[in-house]
mmCIF file of all heavy atoms in Angstrom:
data_model
loop_
_atom_site.group_PDB
_atom_site.id
_atom_site.type_symbol
_atom_site.label_atom_id
_atom_site.label_comp_id
_atom_site.label_asym_id
_atom_site.label_seq_id
_atom_site.Cartn_x
_atom_site.Cartn_y
_atom_site.Cartn_z
ATOM 1 N N GLY Z 1 0.831 -1.199 -0.004
ATOM 2 C CA GLY Z 1 0.004 0.003 0.014
ATOM 3 C C GLY Z 1 0.860 1.268 0.001
ATOM 4 O O GLY Z 1 2.075 1.199 0.156
ATOM 5 N N GLY Z 2 0.210 2.388 -0.183
ATOM 6 C CA GLY Z 2 0.917 3.641 -0.185
ATOM 7 C C GLY Z 2 0.061 4.773 -0.721
ATOM 8 O O GLY Z 2 -1.145 4.611 -0.858
ATOM 9 N N SER Z 3 0.686 5.893 -1.010
ATOM 10 C CA SER Z 3 -0.010 7.042 -1.544
ATOM 11 C C SER Z 3 0.384 7.253 -3.001
ATOM 12 O O SER Z 3 1.582 7.223 -3.320
ATOM 13 C CB SER Z 3 0.346 8.277 -0.719
ATOM 14 O OG SER Z 3 -0.112 8.151 0.594
ATOM 15 N N VAL Z 4 -0.627 7.488 -3.815
ATOM 16 C CA VAL Z 4 -0.358 7.742 -5.245
ATOM 17 C C VAL Z 4 -1.288 8.832 -5.718
ATOM 18 O O VAL Z 4 -2.339 9.122 -5.127
ATOM 19 C CB VAL Z 4 -0.576 6.481 -6.110
ATOM 20 C CG1 VAL Z 4 0.440 5.421 -5.778
ATOM 21 C CG2 VAL Z 4 -1.992 5.977 -5.979
ATOM 22 N N GLN Z 5 -0.919 9.438 -6.842
ATOM 23 C CA GLN Z 5 -1.777 10.448 -7.455
ATOM 24 C C GLN Z 5 -2.802 9.748 -8.326
ATOM 25 O O GLN Z 5 -2.625 8.613 -8.766
ATOM 26 C CB GLN Z 5 -0.927 11.398 -8.281
ATOM 27 C CG GLN Z 5 0.031 12.264 -7.459
ATOM 28 C CD GLN Z 5 0.721 13.276 -8.314
ATOM 29 O OE1 GLN Z 5 0.866 13.111 -9.529
ATOM 30 N NE2 GLN Z 5 1.195 14.340 -7.683
ATOM 31 N N PRO Z 6 -3.922 10.419 -8.592
ATOM 32 C CA PRO Z 6 -4.919 9.851 -9.490
ATOM 33 C C PRO Z 6 -4.282 9.475 -10.846
ATOM 34 O O PRO Z 6 -3.441 10.216 -11.369
ATOM 35 C CB PRO Z 6 -5.917 10.994 -9.662
ATOM 36 C CG PRO Z 6 -5.819 11.753 -8.385
ATOM 37 C CD PRO Z 6 -4.360 11.721 -8.016
ATOM 38 N N GLY Z 7 -4.674 8.312 -11.334
ATOM 39 C CA GLY Z 7 -4.088 7.785 -12.562
ATOM 40 C C GLY Z 7 -2.892 6.899 -12.328
ATOM 41 O O GLY Z 7 -2.429 6.233 -13.277
ATOM 42 N N GLY Z 8 -2.406 6.846 -11.096
ATOM 43 C CA GLY Z 8 -1.248 6.046 -10.798
ATOM 44 C C GLY Z 8 -1.569 4.560 -10.588
ATOM 45 O O GLY Z 8 -2.728 4.156 -10.710
ATOM 46 N N SER Z 9 -0.526 3.810 -10.250
ATOM 47 C CA SER Z 9 -0.662 2.360 -10.087
ATOM 48 C C SER Z 9 0.008 1.909 -8.804
ATOM 49 O O SER Z 9 0.967 2.550 -8.322
ATOM 50 C CB SER Z 9 -0.006 1.627 -11.266
ATOM 51 O OG SER Z 9 -0.617 2.003 -12.487
ATOM 52 N N LEU Z 10 -0.484 0.809 -8.275
ATOM 53 C CA LEU Z 10 0.126 0.124 -7.133
ATOM 54 C C LEU Z 10 -0.095 -1.353 -7.313
ATOM 55 O O LEU Z 10 -1.086 -1.784 -7.912
ATOM 56 C CB LEU Z 10 -0.504 0.576 -5.821
ATOM 57 C CG LEU Z 10 -0.098 1.896 -5.174
ATOM 58 C CD1 LEU Z 10 -0.923 2.145 -3.949
ATOM 59 C CD2 LEU Z 10 1.388 1.888 -4.813
ATOM 60 N N ARG Z 11 0.827 -2.137 -6.737
ATOM 61 C CA ARG Z 11 0.611 -3.588 -6.699
ATOM 62 C C ARG Z 11 0.662 -4.037 -5.248
ATOM 63 O O ARG Z 11 1.648 -3.852 -4.543
ATOM 64 C CB ARG Z 11 1.649 -4.357 -7.505
ATOM 65 C CG ARG Z 11 1.328 -5.848 -7.564
ATOM 66 C CD ARG Z 11 2.273 -6.622 -8.441
ATOM 67 N NE ARG Z 11 3.497 -6.988 -7.753
ATOM 68 C CZ ARG Z 11 4.254 -8.017 -8.090
ATOM 69 N NH1 ARG Z 11 3.921 -8.797 -9.088
ATOM 70 N NH2 ARG Z 11 5.363 -8.272 -7.414
ATOM 71 N N LEU Z 12 -0.426 -4.632 -4.831
ATOM 72 C CA LEU Z 12 -0.526 -5.178 -3.476
ATOM 73 C C LEU Z 12 -0.122 -6.659 -3.520
ATOM 74 O O LEU Z 12 -0.444 -7.375 -4.472
ATOM 75 C CB LEU Z 12 -1.927 -5.039 -2.920
ATOM 76 C CG LEU Z 12 -2.519 -3.658 -2.941
ATOM 77 C CD1 LEU Z 12 -3.916 -3.690 -2.286
ATOM 78 C CD2 LEU Z 12 -1.624 -2.645 -2.249
ATOM 79 N N SER Z 13 0.549 -7.108 -2.466
ATOM 80 C CA SER Z 13 0.916 -8.496 -2.345
ATOM 81 C C SER Z 13 0.314 -9.079 -1.070
ATOM 82 O O SER Z 13 0.105 -8.344 -0.105
ATOM 83 C CB SER Z 13 2.439 -8.658 -2.307
ATOM 84 O OG SER Z 13 3.042 -8.189 -3.494
ATOM 85 N N CYS Z 14 0.115 -10.382 -1.100
ATOM 86 C CA CYS Z 14 -0.491 -11.095 0.065
ATOM 87 C C CYS Z 14 0.180 -12.432 0.176
ATOM 88 O O CYS Z 14 -0.017 -13.288 -0.678
ATOM 89 C CB CYS Z 14 -1.974 -11.207 -0.139
ATOM 90 S SG CYS Z 14 -2.834 -12.271 1.049
ATOM 91 N N VAL Z 15 0.944 -12.606 1.229
ATOM 92 C CA VAL Z 15 1.639 -13.874 1.454
ATOM 93 C C VAL Z 15 0.865 -14.678 2.483
ATOM 94 O O VAL Z 15 0.537 -14.183 3.558
ATOM 95 C CB VAL Z 15 3.080 -13.622 1.940
ATOM 96 C CG1 VAL Z 15 3.770 -14.966 2.205
ATOM 97 C CG2 VAL Z 15 3.856 -12.817 0.921
ATOM 98 N N VAL Z 16 0.635 -15.921 2.161
ATOM 99 C CA VAL Z 16 -0.143 -16.818 3.030
ATOM 100 C C VAL Z 16 0.765 -17.972 3.475
ATOM 101 O O VAL Z 16 1.452 -18.584 2.644
ATOM 102 C CB VAL Z 16 -1.379 -17.368 2.327
ATOM 103 C CG1 VAL Z 16 -2.157 -18.308 3.269
ATOM 104 C CG2 VAL Z 16 -2.275 -16.246 1.841
ATOM 105 N N SER Z 17 0.777 -18.267 4.720
ATOM 106 C CA SER Z 17 1.559 -19.370 5.255
ATOM 107 C C SER Z 17 0.692 -20.239 6.122
ATOM 108 O O SER Z 17 -0.347 -19.806 6.629
ATOM 109 C CB SER Z 17 2.761 -18.872 6.035
ATOM 110 O OG SER Z 17 2.338 -18.048 7.093
ATOM 111 N N GLY Z 18 1.112 -21.491 6.294
ATOM 112 C CA GLY Z 18 0.400 -22.400 7.191
ATOM 113 C C GLY Z 18 -0.629 -23.269 6.537
ATOM 114 O O GLY Z 18 -1.290 -24.046 7.216
ATOM 115 N N VAL Z 19 -0.810 -23.139 5.213
ATOM 116 C CA VAL Z 19 -1.751 -23.964 4.463
ATOM 117 C C VAL Z 19 -1.164 -24.271 3.094
ATOM 118 O O VAL Z 19 -0.177 -23.632 2.685
ATOM 119 C CB VAL Z 19 -3.120 -23.259 4.248
ATOM 120 C CG1 VAL Z 19 -3.844 -23.057 5.561
ATOM 121 C CG2 VAL Z 19 -2.956 -21.942 3.502
ATOM 122 N N THR Z 20 -1.747 -25.245 2.400
ATOM 123 C CA THR Z 20 -1.377 -25.490 0.992
ATOM 124 C C THR Z 20 -2.096 -24.438 0.170
ATOM 125 O O THR Z 20 -3.290 -24.566 -0.127
ATOM 126 C CB THR Z 20 -1.778 -26.902 0.588
ATOM 127 O OG1 THR Z 20 -1.149 -27.844 1.477
ATOM 128 C CG2 THR Z 20 -1.330 -27.172 -0.828
ATOM 129 N N PHE Z 21 -1.374 -23.418 -0.193
ATOM 130 C CA PHE Z 21 -1.938 -22.197 -0.751
ATOM 131 C C PHE Z 21 -2.831 -22.461 -1.972
ATOM 132 O O PHE Z 21 -3.920 -21.924 -2.099
ATOM 133 C CB PHE Z 21 -0.794 -21.239 -1.105
ATOM 134 C CG PHE Z 21 -1.218 -19.920 -1.665
ATOM 135 C CD1 PHE Z 21 -1.904 -19.017 -0.901
ATOM 136 C CD2 PHE Z 21 -0.891 -19.572 -2.971
ATOM 137 C CE1 PHE Z 21 -2.288 -17.774 -1.414
ATOM 138 C CE2 PHE Z 21 -1.256 -18.358 -3.519
ATOM 139 C CZ PHE Z 21 -1.962 -17.442 -2.728
ATOM 140 N N GLY Z 22 -2.378 -23.319 -2.873
ATOM 141 C CA GLY Z 22 -3.103 -23.553 -4.086
ATOM 142 C C GLY Z 22 -4.421 -24.270 -3.929
ATOM 143 O O GLY Z 22 -5.193 -24.361 -4.874
ATOM 144 N N ASN Z 23 -4.725 -24.719 -2.708
ATOM 145 C CA ASN Z 23 -5.991 -25.399 -2.454
ATOM 146 C C ASN Z 23 -7.149 -24.453 -2.123
ATOM 147 O O ASN Z 23 -8.257 -24.902 -1.865
ATOM 148 C CB ASN Z 23 -5.830 -26.363 -1.267
ATOM 149 C CG ASN Z 23 -5.044 -27.619 -1.668
ATOM 150 O OD1 ASN Z 23 -4.741 -27.828 -2.829
ATOM 151 N ND2 ASN Z 23 -4.705 -28.410 -0.661
ATOM 152 N N TYR Z 24 -6.842 -23.149 -2.118
ATOM 153 C CA TYR Z 24 -7.855 -22.187 -1.664
ATOM 154 C C TYR Z 24 -7.961 -20.992 -2.597
ATOM 155 O O TYR Z 24 -6.945 -20.461 -3.068
ATOM 156 C CB TYR Z 24 -7.528 -21.699 -0.259
ATOM 157 C CG TYR Z 24 -7.455 -22.791 0.760
ATOM 158 C CD1 TYR Z 24 -6.245 -23.393 1.077
ATOM 159 C CD2 TYR Z 24 -8.619 -23.286 1.334
ATOM 160 C CE1 TYR Z 24 -6.197 -24.436 1.972
ATOM 161 C CE2 TYR Z 24 -8.582 -24.349 2.206
ATOM 162 C CZ TYR Z 24 -7.363 -24.925 2.547
ATOM 163 O OH TYR Z 24 -7.338 -25.960 3.443
ATOM 164 N N ALA Z 25 -9.194 -20.576 -2.836
ATOM 165 C CA ALA Z 25 -9.417 -19.333 -3.516
ATOM 166 C C ALA Z 25 -8.986 -18.186 -2.583
ATOM 167 O O ALA Z 25 -8.965 -18.337 -1.365
ATOM 168 C CB ALA Z 25 -10.883 -19.169 -3.888
ATOM 169 N N MET Z 26 -8.659 -17.055 -3.207
ATOM 170 C CA MET Z 26 -8.262 -15.875 -2.429
ATOM 171 C C MET Z 26 -9.113 -14.671 -2.871
ATOM 172 O O MET Z 26 -9.532 -14.611 -4.008
ATOM 173 C CB MET Z 26 -6.776 -15.563 -2.677
ATOM 174 C CG MET Z 26 -5.817 -16.630 -2.177
ATOM 175 S SD MET Z 26 -5.834 -16.773 -0.379
ATOM 176 C CE MET Z 26 -5.272 -15.148 0.123
ATOM 177 N N GLY Z 27 -9.280 -13.755 -1.926
ATOM 178 C CA GLY Z 27 -10.042 -12.572 -2.268
ATOM 179 C C GLY Z 27 -9.390 -11.318 -1.731
ATOM 180 O O GLY Z 27 -8.598 -11.373 -0.786
ATOM 181 N N TRP Z 28 -9.722 -10.227 -2.376
ATOM 182 C CA TRP Z 28 -9.327 -8.896 -1.905
ATOM 183 C C TRP Z 28 -10.603 -8.113 -1.593
ATOM 184 O O TRP Z 28 -11.555 -8.134 -2.368
ATOM 185 C CB TRP Z 28 -8.511 -8.143 -2.943
ATOM 186 C CG TRP Z 28 -7.095 -8.618 -3.110
ATOM 187 C CD1 TRP Z 28 -6.627 -9.517 -3.994
ATOM 188 C CD2 TRP Z 28 -5.965 -8.205 -2.316
ATOM 189 N NE1 TRP Z 28 -5.270 -9.692 -3.822
ATOM 190 C CE2 TRP Z 28 -4.838 -8.894 -2.820
ATOM 191 C CE3 TRP Z 28 -5.795 -7.307 -1.250
ATOM 192 C CZ2 TRP Z 28 -3.556 -8.729 -2.283
ATOM 193 C CZ3 TRP Z 28 -4.528 -7.143 -0.728
ATOM 194 C CH2 TRP Z 28 -3.429 -7.840 -1.230
ATOM 195 N N PHE Z 29 -10.556 -7.426 -0.472
ATOM 196 C CA PHE Z 29 -11.656 -6.568 -0.056
ATOM 197 C C PHE Z 29 -11.065 -5.205 0.282
ATOM 198 O O PHE Z 29 -9.859 -5.066 0.421
ATOM 199 C CB PHE Z 29 -12.323 -7.111 1.209
ATOM 200 C CG PHE Z 29 -13.102 -8.408 0.989
ATOM 201 C CD1 PHE Z 29 -12.460 -9.622 0.785
ATOM 202 C CD2 PHE Z 29 -14.510 -8.380 0.980
ATOM 203 C CE1 PHE Z 29 -13.168 -10.784 0.611
ATOM 204 C CE2 PHE Z 29 -15.219 -9.550 0.796
ATOM 205 C CZ PHE Z 29 -14.557 -10.741 0.598
ATOM 206 N N ARG Z 30 -11.927 -4.197 0.413
ATOM 207 C CA ARG Z 30 -11.449 -2.890 0.833
ATOM 208 C C ARG Z 30 -12.492 -2.210 1.668
ATOM 209 O O ARG Z 30 -13.690 -2.468 1.554
ATOM 210 C CB ARG Z 30 -11.087 -2.014 -0.392
ATOM 211 C CG ARG Z 30 -12.263 -1.633 -1.266
ATOM 212 C CD ARG Z 30 -11.775 -0.858 -2.500
ATOM 213 N NE ARG Z 30 -12.875 -0.497 -3.382
ATOM 214 C CZ ARG Z 30 -12.726 0.066 -4.562
ATOM 215 N NH1 ARG Z 30 -11.507 0.356 -5.023
ATOM 216 N NH2 ARG Z 30 -13.766 0.370 -5.293
ATOM 217 N N GLN Z 31 -12.017 -1.319 2.528
ATOM 218 C CA GLN Z 31 -12.901 -0.536 3.367
ATOM 219 C C GLN Z 31 -12.490 0.933 3.326
ATOM 220 O O GLN Z 31 -11.397 1.264 3.798
ATOM 221 C CB GLN Z 31 -12.918 -1.029 4.811
ATOM 222 C CG GLN Z 31 -13.944 -0.340 5.676
ATOM 223 C CD GLN Z 31 -14.157 -1.041 7.013
ATOM 224 O OE1 GLN Z 31 -13.298 -1.828 7.446
ATOM 225 N NE2 GLN Z 31 -15.279 -0.813 7.618
ATOM 226 N N ALA Z 32 -13.341 1.731 2.733
ATOM 227 C CA ALA Z 32 -13.072 3.169 2.647
ATOM 228 C C ALA Z 32 -13.508 3.831 3.951
ATOM 229 O O ALA Z 32 -14.352 3.280 4.673
ATOM 230 C CB ALA Z 32 -13.863 3.756 1.473
ATOM 231 N N PRO Z 33 -12.938 4.996 4.250
ATOM 232 C CA PRO Z 33 -13.303 5.690 5.507
ATOM 233 C C PRO Z 33 -14.816 5.897 5.592
ATOM 234 O O PRO Z 33 -15.451 6.391 4.679
ATOM 235 C CB PRO Z 33 -12.563 7.003 5.389
ATOM 236 C CG PRO Z 33 -11.399 6.716 4.500
ATOM 237 C CD PRO Z 33 -11.887 5.698 3.516
#
């Protein structure tokens, strides 16, 4: 995460440990103020 100007780009990463990762679907959610 971070701060960007409109029109910019970011890449979020999510590392999962403790499970066989490929056995599960993954989702992204967000909560605005």
Side-chain angles (χ1 to χ4, degrees):
S3 296
V4 295
Q5 293 186 338
S9 300
L10 280 175
R11 187 176 82 156
L12 307 183
S13 298
C14 171
V15 179
V16 180
S17 59
V19 294
T20 303
F21 182 65
N23 286 353
Y24 301 95
M26 295 294 297
W28 284 95
F29 291 74
R30 66 185 179 185
Q31 186 167 20

